[in-house]
Amino acid sequence: MQKVRKAVIPAAGLGTRFLPATKAMAKEMLPIVDKPTIQFIVEEALASGIEDILIVTGKAKRPIEDHFDSNLELEMNLKEKGKDDLLQLVTETTGLNLHFIRQSHPLGLGHAVLQAKSFVGNEPFIVMLGDDLMEDKIPLSKQLINNYEATHASTIAVMEVPHKDVDKYGIINPGEEVEKDLFNVINFVEKPKVEEAPSNMAIIGRYLLTPEIFGILENQKPGAGNEIQLTDAIDTLNKTQRVFAHKYTGTRYDVGDKFGFMKTSLEYSLRHPQIKDDMKQLILDLSDEIRENEKKTSKKKEDK
């Protein structure tokens, strides 16, 4: 059995939900407090035992490459000033086995993954999407690798979502639960109508795939949004070899839209050693202010 040692991180999206901030800045470089979102993904890959990482980029994504490169001038400045803690922070992302490739045309997630064909070769690999930050005792990517070592089959991470939101996700039609939190999959559906969804178990941005997926992606016709959908290709793969769904029970932070991003930033700030106390006090102050404003608004309505 081949070891899972490679990961692919698609990062070529236009980031339209965060305009105008992402007009000339990679969405993946937006920070959660003081760390770019993509660094969380890379750290998860490394913690899962991944040895080589390919980041699929696009236009205006050069800052991603710069972030993971050395900045000798900055490093020398911090060293001379004895700021060893900051020096450690800026050097911990250098020296990794990171590779980059451009997706020239934004034709969908499936097309982005197809760009990794030469990098992956004939090996199983992990796809990690940057919109989802995962927290668990065992990293989610490692959980998928553990499943692969037992089944030798592709495994997709899923999580229950509110039924009203199923049209935002790839959804599985689950079959038999072969062991705790591991399901056979009857079929996969990309962004189904709410009334037509086979379940509320949604794909959440971590995929362990066998290399046969590339042959399918090369011939995949555009699907939802007129894009090459990875979910459609996985559904085709499921017709020729088993594809499992692993139900994730840890914490998921969705940073793919403004509210999710701000919510994640707030929760992380409440744990950040340098600012957590100030953030707690700020929240208390704002809560008092909100309550006071609500009382004033209520009184004005009563006076009318």
Side-chain angles (χ1 to χ4, degrees):
M1 184 192 70
Q2 289 180 297
K3 180 182 177 182
V4 181
R5 63 187 192 89
K6 293 181 178 179
V8 177
I9 303 176
L14 297 175
T16 53
R17 293 180 182 178
F18 290 91
L19 286 171
T22 50
K23 180 180 178 181
M25 176 184 181
K27 177 190 70 173
E28 296 78 11
M29 290 302 297
L30 294 174
I32 304 298
V33 185
D34 54 8
K35 184 187 295 186
T37 55
I38 196 168
Q39 187 171 330
F40 287 93
I41 309 302
V42 169
E43 288 175 354
E44 180 190 330
L46 296 175
S48 301
I50 294 297
E51 299 171 7
D52 289 282
I53 301 170
L54 176 70
I55 300 179
V56 182
T57 66
K59 188 176 181 181
K61 303 288 184 168
R62 185 58 186 269
I64 296 176
E65 297 183 38
D66 292 340
H67 175 70
F68 291 105
D69 199 357
S70 297
N71 185 330
L72 295 179
E73 183 179 357
L74 174 61
E75 291 168 19
M76 287 297 295
N77 180 276
L78 294 174
K79 187 175 181 179
E80 290 172 358
K81 294 181 177 180
K83 298 181 178 181
D84 295 337
D85 53 342
L86 294 178
L87 179 61
Q88 182 179 351
L89 284 177
V90 300
T91 56
E92 65 185 6
T93 56
T94 61
L96 307 177
N97 287 332
L98 283 176
H99 312 264
F100 298 88
I101 190 171
R102 280 280 186 111
Q103 182 188 18
S104 300
H105 303 285
L107 301 178
L109 176 58
H111 184 260
V113 172
L114 182 57
Q115 309 311 301
K117 181 181 178 182
S118 296
F119 167 78
V120 169
N122 192 35
E123 300 182 33
F125 66 105
I126 295 272
V127 176
M128 308 174 71
L129 305 189
D131 284 348
D132 293 311
L133 308 186
M134 309 297 188
E135 277 193 3
D136 209 347
K137 292 180 179 178
I138 300 175
L140 177 51
S141 293
K142 178 58 176 173
Q143 294 177 31
L144 297 183
I145 291 172
N146 291 343
N147 285 328
Y148 176 79
E149 290 174 350
T151 65
H152 303 173
S154 296
T155 308
I156 313 303
V158 298
M159 194 173 196
E160 291 184 344
V161 299
H163 195 76
K164 64 181 178 61
D165 293 333
V166 294
D167 58 351
K168 301 174 184 176
Y169 298 89
I171 299 294
I172 70 164
N173 184 4
E176 176 190 8
E177 186 175 12
V178 295
E179 60 180 72
K180 182 174 172 56
D181 296 329
L182 188 67
F183 295 82
N184 277 315
V185 180
I186 298 171
N187 65 296
F188 298 80
V189 185
E190 178 64 22
K191 297 180 180 177
K193 294 180 180 178
V194 172
E195 63 273 15
E196 297 176 358
S199 75
N200 69 331
M201 293 180 68
I203 300 171
I204 54 169
R206 298 293 185 275
Y207 313 72
L208 194 156
L209 299 170
T210 55
E212 286 80 11
I213 195 71
F214 293 115
I216 297 171
L217 286 170
E218 288 175 323
N219 298 288
Q220 185 69 47
K221 295 180 179 179
N226 200 33
E227 295 182 337
I228 306 299
Q229 295 292 346
L230 182 60
T231 302
D232 294 342
I234 294 171
D235 189 49
T236 300
L237 180 67
N238 193 39
K239 293 177 172 62
T240 59
Q241 59 178 248
R242 292 189 305 171
V243 177
F244 292 99
H246 169 70
K247 184 179 176 182
Y248 178 60
T249 57
T251 302
R252 168 181 175 247
Y253 295 96
D254 182 356
V255 295
D257 60 38
K258 293 184 181 72
F259 177 75
F261 181 85
M262 295 304 298
K263 181 176 182 291
T264 303
S265 297
L266 178 60
E267 292 192 30
Y268 271 74
S269 71
L270 289 171
R271 302 201 302 259
H272 193 287
Q274 294 177 337
I275 63 172
K276 62 182 181 180
D277 292 336
D278 288 338
M279 285 302 300
K280 289 176 184 176
Q281 186 59 52
L282 174 62
I283 290 171
L284 291 172
D285 293 343
L286 289 174
S287 297
D288 291 341
E289 184 178 332
I290 291 170
R291 282 193 290 268
E292 187 63 31
N293 287 337
E294 287 178 344
K295 288 180 182 178
K296 290 179 180 179
T297 301
S298 179
K299 189 175 187 307
K300 285 182 181 179
K301 289 180 179 180
E302 291 175 359
D303 292 342
K304 289 182 178 180

